[in-house]
Amino acid sequence: MLNRLKELREAKKLTQKETGTLVGVSRQAINAIETGKYDPSIWLAYDLSKLFGMTIEELFDFERSTRK
């Protein structure tokens, strides 16, 4: 799924590991989300959106993403 996670994480000067720690997942999970290899659960998407102060729809691009 297309998303802005890497862009927002880097703007806040957070590493993948730090971001994962803040939302309770591994660095590998954050990397997989950023590269579109893994779609997060609704709860993880919610936690990530709150971490960056936006809605899920602002963080994840549902319009341009293809469904699996």
Side-chain angles (χ1 to χ4, degrees):
M1 179 181 310
L2 299 173
N3 63 76
R4 298 176 54 206
L5 182 55
K6 183 175 182 178
E7 163 196 344
L8 295 166
R9 176 181 61 75
E10 289 177 345
K12 281 196 165 215
K13 300 194 184 325
L14 292 170
T15 65
Q16 289 179 339
K17 183 176 182 177
E18 291 167 334
T19 304
T21 298
L22 290 170
V23 295
V25 298
S26 68
R27 177 203 62 79
Q28 292 87 346
I30 297 299
N31 178 269
I33 295 167
E34 287 182 355
T35 58
K37 295 176 184 170
Y38 172 75
D39 291 336
S41 69
I42 191 68
W43 290 110
L44 179 52
Y46 175 81
D47 290 342
L48 287 166
S49 68
K50 293 306 168 197
L51 176 63
F52 295 106
M54 57 183 48
T55 66
I56 292 172
E57 291 85 357
E58 290 171 321
L59 180 56
F60 294 93
D61 189 347
F62 293 95
E63 296 295 321
R64 296 186 314 141
S65 295
T66 57
R67 287 187 177 199
K68 292 183 179 176

